[in-house]
Amino acid sequence: MAEHLKTGWPQQVVRQQEVIDTVSRILREVEHEGEPAIRRWSAQLDGWEPPTFVVPAERIKAAAETVDDELAKQLEFARSQVERFAGAQRDTLQDLELETLPGVVLGHRHVPVAKVGSYSPGGRYPLIASSIMTVTVPKVAGVDTVVAVAPPRDGQGIYGPQLYTMNLAGADVIVCLGGVQAFAAMAFGIEDVPPVDLVVGAGNAYVAEAKRQLFGTVGIDLLAGPTEVAVIADETADPRLVAADLLGQAEHGFNSPALLVTTSRDFGTAVIAEVERWLAGDWPTVEVAGAAWRDHGTVVVCESREEAVQVSDAYAPEHLEIQTSDDDWYAANLRNYGSLFIGPEATVAFSDKSIGTDHVLPTGRAARYTGGLWVGKFLKTVTYQRLTPGGARIVAPSTAAIADAELMHGHALTARLRQ
């Protein structure tokens, strides 16, 4: 039976009533009043009330001056990797047409969403890579208009490298707004920017709640909570490396859970010691990562690899690393995760920033029933039917009989008119 050397992973995400009420008020006011409400809330929450929230071309051009040549080169590398992988994914999605009966043709097409809103968080960290993930991928899918949105930073508008990256990734319009009011602007429209059809991007609890309440008015990607990381490792792994990978994701926030699942008690103890050694030494974000590990770090010792898989699948973590003597076995048997990192060289940070897979992933055990953001999220798979008179005569009897049994006699009539 599994033994917990340390426990802290939250059992469930609690929606706070204050967050729910605040978000509801902002969205309601924006829906009824439009831009004046957006302007009022932006001034109140971010101290940001510019003449226009849409970022002008000259400001976008000036942002390039904030990015040195080396960073520009690496940003282009990351963008190209995301574009390449998304393009390969898109190529696997083929249209279909099939004659299922004589004179009955069925098919489907993959049609891009027309307008997408992409939000890149600011806050403690201006997440430049989020712009690459949530702007490049919809453009690869064929989305006509991507409205990229990010919050102001230090009263100076969008952080320069972030603004540069939004433009590099292919944004059609860039808007400087933060938090709930940003999602309200995307959903209901602002200035000359029309409402979008789908909003994507991560953020804090207020952003997650805004997406929850806006779902239906617009489509959403995921209801993402705090970033999660889990590692399955055995005695063949490097405890110092595993400890670093746990803390590397824990630096996202004070409430970011980190989980180690191991088949070796000695290894679990060693990793705990290495985490403490990192935190007592030169870990660069010790204040945040240390608090996250203290409150939300978990270490579970399992009796077998089968139990390790069961434990991991029950947590259904956002990011899951495997560092064992039999990584392929684990990869073949694990079911619930947002993205899988196989072997000691595959750290989560690579996917977070530049390797090519999308970093918008399910949290809060949502990996039990969904994957993360990918090019297919920006495509609608729509079906169609085409019939000859002979094909209609084949299908009509069953349709009429079922409709009559359901007491839907109008349906039955429309079928029999074609017999």
Side-chain angles (χ1 to χ4, degrees), residues 243-384:
D245 282 1
L246 292 169
L247 289 176
Q249 286 299 299
E251 79 173 359
H252 270 277
F254 298 103
N255 55 353
S256 294
L259 166 70
L260 170 64
V261 179
T262 181
T263 51
S264 166
R265 195 179 196 281
D266 289 344
F267 183 81
T269 302
V271 169
I272 292 174
E274 290 294 342
V275 168
E276 297 304 326
R277 193 170 289 116
W278 274 118
L279 293 175
D282 56 359
W283 191 261
T285 50
V286 61
E287 180 181 352
V288 177
W293 173 256
R294 181 188 65 242
D295 296 336
H296 301 294
T298 299
V299 178
V300 183
V301 180
C302 298
E303 294 181 353
S304 66
R305 64 184 187 179
E306 289 80 9
E307 185 178 48
V309 166
Q310 292 174 0
V311 168
S312 178
D313 276 351
Y315 281 96
E318 177 187 16
H319 307 97
L320 177 57
E321 295 185 2
I322 308 170
Q323 299 185 32
T324 71
S325 60
D326 198 356
D327 294 342
D328 289 342
W329 182 88
Y330 279 97
N333 285 275
L334 287 160
R335 180 186 298 270
N336 299 338
Y337 51 82
S339 192
L340 192 64
F341 302 81
I342 304 170
E345 304 306 322
T347 183
V348 172
F350 288 162
S351 175
D352 272 353
K353 308 304 179 187
S354 67
I355 203 169
T357 50
D358 204 301
H359 74 193
V360 180
L361 300 167
T363 62
R365 301 187 70 229
R368 292 171 297 133
Y369 54 81
T370 187
L373 192 63
W374 70 299
V375 72
K377 183 65 178 180
F378 303 100
L379 299 165
K380 302 175 294 180
T381 303
V382 292
T383 59
Y384 62 87

Side-chain angles (χ1 to χ4, degrees), residues 57-387:
E58 59 268 24
R59 177 73 180 91
I60 296 171
K61 184 177 180 181
E65 298 176 5
T66 68
V67 177
D68 61 42
D69 291 345
E70 178 61 22
L71 178 56
K73 174 184 174 182
Q74 301 305 339
L75 287 169
E76 172 54 25
F77 171 84
R79 188 208 63 79
S80 66
Q81 296 310 300
V82 171
E83 180 183 62
R84 181 180 183 184
F85 186 66
Q89 288 182 307
R90 177 65 182 89
D91 289 343
T92 69
L93 300 172
Q94 301 298 315
D95 290 352
L96 169 69
E97 184 168 286
L98 175 69
E99 187 172 20
T100 58
L101 294 165
V104 178
V105 174
L106 308 181
H108 74 224
R109 296 174 58 225
H110 301 292
V111 180
V113 172
K115 297 184 291 294
V116 166
S118 156
Y119 185 74
S120 296
R124 181 181 294 110
Y125 309 113
L127 296 184
I128 299 171
S130 286
S131 300
I132 298 173
M133 307 293 173
T134 59
V135 175
T136 303
V137 177
K139 294 309 291 185
V140 171
V143 172
D144 293 333
T145 303
V146 175
V147 179
V149 186
R153 189 171 184 84
D154 301 325
Q156 301 299 312
I158 297 173
Y159 180 59
Q162 192 170 36
L163 178 56
Y164 171 85
T165 305
M166 290 169 147
N167 187 58
L168 175 70
D172 298 286
V173 182
I174 300 177
V175 175
C176 183
L177 273 170
V180 178
Q181 60 271 23
F183 279 83
M186 290 188 283
F188 300 119
I190 183 174
E191 298 179 13
D192 293 330
V193 183
V196 301
D197 305 304
L198 171 70
V199 296
V200 300
N204 59 19
Y206 290 89
V207 164
E209 183 61 28
K211 290 165 71 175
R212 186 191 306 274
Q213 293 189 26
L214 285 169
F215 179 63
T217 299
V218 290
I220 65 172
D221 51 356
L222 298 163
L223 292 172
T227 293
E228 305 164 355
V229 63
V231 180
I232 298 177
D234 61 18
E235 66 280 354
T236 65
D238 178 350
R240 186 170 185 270
L241 191 66
V242 170
D245 282 1
L246 292 169
L247 289 176
Q249 286 299 299
E251 79 173 359
H252 270 277
F254 298 103
N255 55 353
S256 294
L259 166 70
L260 170 64
V261 179
T262 181
T263 51
S264 166
R265 195 179 196 281
D266 289 344
F267 183 81
T269 302
V271 169
I272 292 174
E274 290 294 342
V275 168
E276 297 304 326
R277 193 170 289 116
W278 274 118
L279 293 175
D282 56 359
W283 191 261
T285 50
V286 61
E287 180 181 352
V288 177
W293 173 256
R294 181 188 65 242
D295 296 336
H296 301 294
T298 299
V299 178
V300 183
V301 180
C302 298
E303 294 181 353
S304 66
R305 64 184 187 179
E306 289 80 9
E307 185 178 48
V309 166
Q310 292 174 0
V311 168
S312 178
D313 276 351
Y315 281 96
E318 177 187 16
H319 307 97
L320 177 57
E321 295 185 2
I322 308 170
Q323 299 185 32
T324 71
S325 60
D326 198 356
D327 294 342
D328 289 342
W329 182 88
Y330 279 97
N333 285 275
L334 287 160
R335 180 186 298 270
N336 299 338
Y337 51 82
S339 192
L340 192 64
F341 302 81
I342 304 170
E345 304 306 322
T347 183
V348 172
F350 288 162
S351 175
D352 272 353
K353 308 304 179 187
S354 67
I355 203 169
T357 50
D358 204 301
H359 74 193
V360 180
L361 300 167
T363 62
R365 301 187 70 229
R368 292 171 297 133
Y369 54 81
T370 187
L373 192 63
W374 70 299
V375 72
K377 183 65 178 180
F378 303 100
L379 299 165
K380 302 175 294 180
T381 303
V382 292
T383 59
Y384 62 87
Q385 308 83 33
R386 183 185 298 116
L387 286 78

